[in-house]
Amino acid sequence: MVVDKPSRGPREGDVITIKSYKHDGSLHRTWRDTMVLKTSENAIIGLNDHTLVTEDNGRRWVTREPAIVYFHKKYWFNIIAMIRDNGVSYYCNLASPYVLDKEALKYIDYDLDIKVFPSGEKHLLDADEYATHSQKWHYPPEIDRILKDHVKILVDWINEGKGPFSQGYIDVWYARYQYLMQQRLNDRR
């Protein structure tokens, strides 16, 4: 009997692609070259720094600042912590838990976003887009309930400074990224 060995996931320092899809299965956005900082059974932490992003319409742009990304297999959101001169800003996508295959880390973007400014001010974004897509693609009531529950969980994390919303978290993972980049430079010499 031949048993396939499970393929190993990405390891610290590996570079992966991230792909976001819409509920109808269409590709929404792709990020190239995200460096993996940590993987666990349920989560991946990575960092984008001047990363090429391709939109569904083919438009391409490059991220302006380093950003720590957090994805989880059990939470219906992902978190992007953008490290800027005036402090850390967060962009949180309400989205399916991620899946990972040989091609990319993938998730379904469910339109709703929460932006958190360095001052702590929060804005819920794209509720109109959510309403439109919910009707267009017939989001099941279960998805609507899950997303509403996870908005509450996400807001609790923000208010409590949990995980990515902690300055200590940002400091640790950004320092780890800088160390790994220095190691890469040293290895090239």
Side-chain angles (χ1 to χ4, degrees):
M1 182 171 137
V2 176
V3 177
D4 288 338
K5 291 181 182 177
S7 62
R8 75 161 181 91
R11 295 184 180 158
E12 179 185 74
D14 287 351
V15 173
I16 63 171
T17 296
I18 298 170
K19 291 189 172 194
S20 123
Y21 293 84
K22 287 299 187 178
H23 185 79
D24 70 344
S26 62
L27 183 62
H28 174 54
R29 188 173 287 135
T30 302
W31 291 261
R32 293 277 315 271
D33 301 333
T34 297
M35 181 185 280
V36 174
L37 301 177
K38 180 179 179 174
T39 61
S40 69
E41 182 180 340
N42 290 313
I44 291 183
I45 300 168
L47 195 131
N48 292 327
D49 191 5
H50 296 86
T51 298
L52 176 64
V53 180
T54 305
E55 302 287 344
D56 60 353
N57 64 6
R59 186 175 76 87
R60 301 168 85 167
W61 53 279
V62 175
T63 60
R64 292 180 298 185
E65 65 271 312
I68 297 170
V69 295
Y70 173 88
F71 295 90
H72 202 281
K73 287 185 179 176
K74 296 189 183 209
Y75 292 112
W76 284 67
F77 54 79
N78 57 63
I79 301 164
I80 303 164
M82 297 165 287
I83 303 166
R84 297 180 169 155
D85 292 339
N86 66 338
V88 179
S89 292
Y90 295 90
Y91 200 88
C92 311
N93 296 294
L94 273 294
S96 69
Y98 78 90
V99 295
L100 186 66
D101 63 22
K102 291 177 184 176
E103 182 187 22
L105 180 151
K106 300 174 180 177
Y107 66 91
I108 299 170
D109 180 299
Y110 279 103
D111 315 309
L112 292 171
D113 305 300
I114 297 177
K115 181 153 187 186
V116 184
F117 295 89
S119 66
E121 181 182 351
K122 298 178 279 298
H123 289 210
L124 180 65
L125 306 174
D126 300 330
D128 54 342
E129 184 181 344
Y130 177 79
T132 299
H133 288 162
S134 180
Q135 284 189 333
K136 178 180 178 181
W137 292 320
H138 310 287
Y139 292 173
E142 179 69 5
I143 294 285
D144 189 61
R145 184 193 60 73
I146 289 169
L147 292 172
K148 286 177 180 168
D149 289 348
H150 283 255
V151 165
K152 292 175 188 167
I153 293 167
L154 182 56
V155 169
D156 285 346
W157 280 31
I158 294 165
N159 291 338
E160 295 167 10
K162 183 174 179 176
F165 301 101
S166 151
Q167 187 61 50
Y169 179 103
I170 299 300
D171 294 343
V172 164
W173 292 114
Y174 189 56
R176 187 67 187 159
Y177 168 73
Q178 291 174 315
Y179 171 80
L180 291 170
M181 289 303 291
Q182 187 60 51
Q183 291 299 107
R184 279 188 173 187
L185 287 173
N186 292 343
D187 289 347
R188 289 184 186 154
R189 292 181 185 155

